[in-house]
Amino acid sequence: MSAPAVPQKTSRAGEGDAATKDPAATAARLLRSAAKKSYDPGVDIDWDAPLVDGALWMPEHRVSLYGTALWDRMTPEQRVELGKHEACSVASVGLWFETLLMQRLLKDFYADDPTTPRAQWALTEVADECRHSQMFARLVARAGVEPYGAVPAVHQLGKLFSVLNWGPAAYASILVAEEVLDRLQREQAHDDAIQPLMRQVNRIHIVEEARHVAFARDEVTRGIAELNRAELAYQRFTCALTSFFVVRSLINPKVYAAVGIDPREGHRTALANPHHREMIRFGGEKIMAFLDEAGMLAGPGRALWKKSFLLET
């Protein structure tokens, strides 16, 4: 089956778009886009196609141990295997956070007029995310890898996401998770060295996630303008805290056991690895510029942004 093409340039609501002043107009535009181009991973991905022996699951320079002494000791086969486990860790963490996103969207829908375009868009995005979650789960299963997800403590903390996060902070946190993943997926979507199944998953996610990003950016831009000083301080900190946990959760330490490395040693090495830090910074480069312009990076939470590797200074 042919995978959808990746758009070369994706417009974002909130970037010179009058829709930032009219959430109904933004939602109506996104609903029209979804009606024209949406995918069903159960139909649009050939799950029965054989995997390509030796193909990478992520570029080697994006694997967390790349460039370290541990990496130098690994065989080429072990490097591919670690990349597969890390790619599936990222996918399962993406699935976990999409579940939290759906909870937030449904809470907003619950309090909204269900006949409005904004409410209708919330349901549309939930439907998209349901399919994406199924797609990521099937990817992990097809790879024959454990669905790692976030470590147990963070997984439990996730239950508080839709309670403690609301308004622009919730959507800004969603943007961090979505745009970091999106940028990494765009990098490998047309890389012939990457496993074809992974490329198919990436391309579908990129096309549909562009609409979700546009909606979330619009919510952040409008929402911040409505906050008082105390609300803004709270929103800045909760966004930084949530984003820290999301980014630090992308690679579950258990992945290292798949290639015979002690998880604690692998985790420590990855956190100290300049290449891994650069991968996080690269993934978050665009969204951090947006959040900085929106005024979300000030205050005590700035230290958390630095510890997450999304912010250098």
Side-chain angles (χ1 to χ4, degrees):
M1 296 183 181
S2 60
V6 178
Q8 297 302 307
K9 183 176 181 182
T10 302
S11 61
R12 309 291 200 193
E15 297 180 351
D17 190 338
T20 55
K21 298 179 181 179
D22 185 356
T26 298
R29 177 170 57 82
L30 295 176
L31 284 167
R32 291 194 296 272
S33 175
K36 291 179 181 178
K37 184 175 290 187
S38 292
Y39 297 94
D40 180 352
V43 175
D44 296 313
I45 293 179
D46 185 358
W47 295 102
D48 296 323
L51 299 176
V52 177
D53 290 339
L56 302 176
W57 290 78
M58 64 192 308
E60 285 197 339
H61 69 287
R62 296 305 184 197
V63 180
S64 67
L65 298 183
Y66 177 83
T68 67
L70 288 176
W71 181 263
D72 292 339
R73 296 204 300 265
M74 294 165 61
T75 66
E77 293 75 18
Q78 286 176 317
R79 292 173 179 177
V80 172
E81 186 70 8
L82 180 58
K84 179 174 76 171
H85 282 259
E86 291 197 6
C88 290
S89 175
V90 172
S92 60
V93 168
L95 189 162
W96 164 70
F97 198 75
E98 284 182 337
T99 302
L100 303 182
L101 161 59
M102 287 187 275
Q103 292 175 9
R104 179 69 267 168
L105 287 168
L106 287 172
K107 279 195 171 186
D108 287 352
F109 173 81
Y110 189 81
D112 206 351
D113 176 352
T115 66
T116 64
R118 186 178 182 277
Q120 291 294 305
W121 169 254
L123 292 180
T124 300
E125 185 166 342
V126 168
D128 285 348
E129 298 296 12
C130 282
R131 293 193 301 273
H132 293 173
S133 294
Q134 289 177 311
M135 179 171 68
F136 288 152
R138 291 188 70 171
L139 170 70
V140 173
R142 186 70 179 85
V145 172
E146 175 185 348
Y148 293 106
V151 298
V154 176
H155 190 272
Q156 290 300 315
L157 284 173
K159 296 177 180 179
L160 298 175
F161 173 76
S162 63
V163 176
L164 300 178
N165 285 271
W166 51 271
Y171 286 98
S173 302
I174 290 165
L175 279 169
V176 170
E178 289 182 335
E179 294 217 39
V180 167
L181 182 58
D182 180 80
R183 192 152 199 228
L184 294 172
Q185 288 180 325
R186 285 174 183 270
E187 181 186 42
Q188 58 182 285
H190 292 301
D191 184 346
D192 290 338
I194 302 299
Q195 189 70 238
L197 174 61
M198 177 62 80
R199 296 205 308 269
Q200 285 183 305
V201 168
N202 288 344
R203 292 173 186 177
I204 285 177
H205 195 250
I206 287 166
V207 170
E208 297 190 333
E209 207 67 17
R211 294 190 289 264
H212 304 175
V213 167
F215 178 73
R217 284 190 174 220
D218 192 60
E219 290 294 301
V220 171
T221 302
R222 287 187 302 99
I224 285 178
E226 299 171 357
L227 299 175
N228 61 40
R229 183 174 298 180
E231 289 172 333
L232 179 58
Y234 174 82
Q235 297 259 327
R236 284 170 170 167
F237 184 77
T238 56
C239 177
L241 184 64
T242 301
S243 299
F244 169 80
F245 281 121
V246 168
V247 171
R248 283 293 186 91
S249 296
L250 290 175
I251 307 299
N252 188 308
K254 291 169 65 178
V255 302
Y256 303 113
V259 290
I261 296 174
D262 178 76
R264 288 172 296 184
E265 181 184 9
H267 184 58
R268 287 194 303 269
T269 302
L271 291 181
N273 184 9
H275 291 284
H276 180 58
R277 295 185 178 198
E278 168 59 20
M279 184 270 282
I280 300 298
R281 188 209 60 77
F282 169 80
E285 188 174 30
K286 291 185 176 181
I287 183 55
M288 294 305 288
F290 169 77
L291 294 180
D292 190 25
E293 183 178 353
M296 285 295 289
L297 303 186
R302 196 170 181 87
L304 288 168
W305 290 114
K306 293 179 182 178
K307 289 187 69 175
S308 71
F309 311 136
L310 287 165
L311 194 64
E312 291 184 308
T313 58

